[in-house]
Amino acid sequence: MGPRQRRAVDLLFASVCVLAGVWDGFQSGLFEGSPIVDHRAPLAVNATLGVLTGLAVLVRRDRPLLLYASALLCWTVVGAYPATILAQYSLGAHLRSARLRVALTAVMVAAVAWPIWRSNGGDAGAPLSVALCILPVLVGLYLSSRREVLANLEERARRNEREERLRIDQARAEERAQIARDMHDVVTHRVALMVLHATALESAQGRDAVRIAGRIQGIGREALAELRTLVGVLRDGAAVPLHPQPGLDDLAELVAASRALGHAVELRVEAGLTAPALVQHAVYRVVQEALTNVHKHAYDARTTVALGSDDDGLWLVVRDDGGTSAPAVAPGGGHGLLGIAERVRLVGGTLETRRLADGGFEVSARLPLPGPDLAAHLEGSA
């Protein structure tokens, strides 16, 4: 319930309490006015008590004791019962002290039950006391507890969402940093080749100058493209590794390691595939993570790794049949898959995961290959 709705409800209840002070329709018919002295007070007194009780209704959430005192006075002087019900509900919903709540409820029960018992007997006093004093408290306690539970659940859901966002951001940041480290020796290698060819060009003294210069140009464009990618993902100043990063040629060794562990893995790679080092390493990491998930969640599954190319670039599919122990994780779950998804995205590709109808699991990726004008474009925009 929003603030406007709460305000409208409070105004309605306040109006009823004000009206109860001057209209006998909201007053007990068991007495002639006051239940204590069985005598009607002057109209001005009744109206004043009604107005005071109505004002107390407007602040009942912050000051439930004020409404309680007004309702008790309005009952003993006027015999008006709407404020009694609302005051008892406010005790249950807004008063935090359980002992004080019990004590005040006992006082209100006595104030309601004793005059009724005195004039009509215990058979009438007990049901009316329960209806006017005890049931409203229980309803208030229930609704207050329910609101607290819902609020806690909502806060927990928001906290879990924030923590999950932080974990995802951390996984992406770590993968970006790892990509930057991976590219360090690749760019270094390209620059070293350029220096080597430049030295060869100087030593050739004009012989094969066009061929060597063309080779330098090609290496320079590749290095520039990879360097621009490296700068785009670099996020920290941590030390970078100086060992070569695996690529397409290392897939056979990766699959062989899985076979050595007893897994049935089939590798199908289109002959003559080539790609930039960053794309190659992205393919390697996707296959590595997919096989790792198979090891964890479907140990006896048969797995196929297929890699090829078409007009859109490289395509990769890693599919397992689930074995006798189907994957226990939902498609797309886990920070390993988040990491490789970020890696694939940074090279311009897409990654998809899905559960198969036969219980297996599939990881598929699309990785674009740079066109012949990409390096020239990057060089011109540098």
Side-chain angles (χ1 to χ4, degrees), residues 302-342:
R302 298 183 60 85
T303 307
T304 302
V305 179
L307 177 64
S309 63
D310 53 26
D311 294 339
D312 296 325
L314 294 182
W315 55 265
L316 170 67
V317 177
V318 183
R319 181 186 296 117
D320 68 77
D321 61 8
T324 59
S325 56
V329 295
H335 294 301
L337 291 178
L338 269 176
I340 61 174
E342 180 69 5

Side-chain angles (χ1 to χ4, degrees), residues 185-207:
D185 70 317
V186 174
V187 176
T188 302
H189 175 68
R190 301 288 188 198
V191 174
L193 284 178
M194 291 174 62
V195 173
L196 181 62
H197 280 75
T199 303
L201 179 62
E202 182 181 9
S203 301
Q205 297 180 351
R207 298 187 303 273

Side-chain angles (χ1 to χ4, degrees), residues 152-323:
N152 290 336
L153 290 176
E154 292 176 357
E155 176 59 28
R156 185 180 302 175
R158 287 193 294 268
R159 184 171 61 250
N160 291 339
E161 184 179 354
R162 289 194 298 268
E163 291 175 354
E164 181 64 19
R165 259 198 319 268
L166 289 175
R167 286 193 292 266
I168 291 174
D169 292 342
Q170 182 179 2
R172 287 177 173 173
E174 290 175 355
E175 194 64 25
R176 287 168 178 256
Q178 185 59 44
I179 293 171
R181 298 185 187 101
D182 293 345
M183 287 301 299
H184 174 270
D185 70 317
V186 174
V187 176
T188 302
H189 175 68
R190 301 288 188 198
V191 174
L193 284 178
M194 291 174 62
V195 173
L196 181 62
H197 280 75
T199 303
L201 179 62
E202 182 181 9
S203 301
Q205 297 180 351
R207 298 187 303 273
D208 298 327
V210 175
R211 181 179 62 82
I212 297 175
R215 181 59 180 159
I216 293 175
Q217 183 185 44
I219 295 173
R221 287 178 174 176
E222 292 175 359
L224 180 60
E226 290 164 355
L227 184 60
R228 290 292 297 270
T229 303
L230 172 63
V231 172
V233 300
L234 187 59
R235 288 296 180 267
D236 62 16
V240 294
L242 299 179
H243 54 82
Q245 298 303 313
L248 300 184
D249 294 338
D250 300 283
L251 290 178
E253 183 180 351
L254 182 62
V255 170
S258 293
R259 290 171 180 166
L261 295 175
H263 302 289
V265 184
E266 180 183 358
L267 177 63
R268 304 172 187 168
V269 180
E270 181 181 314
L273 285 182
T274 182
L278 188 59
V279 175
Q280 290 194 38
H281 190 55
V283 171
Y284 181 90
R285 284 285 292 115
V286 171
V287 176
Q288 184 183 48
E289 181 63 27
L291 291 180
T292 299
N293 285 338
V294 173
H295 299 170
K296 290 180 180 178
H297 307 295
Y299 187 86
D300 57 347
R302 298 183 60 85
T303 307
T304 302
V305 179
L307 177 64
S309 63
D310 53 26
D311 294 339
D312 296 325
L314 294 182
W315 55 265
L316 170 67
V317 177
V318 183
R319 181 186 296 117
D320 68 77
D321 61 8

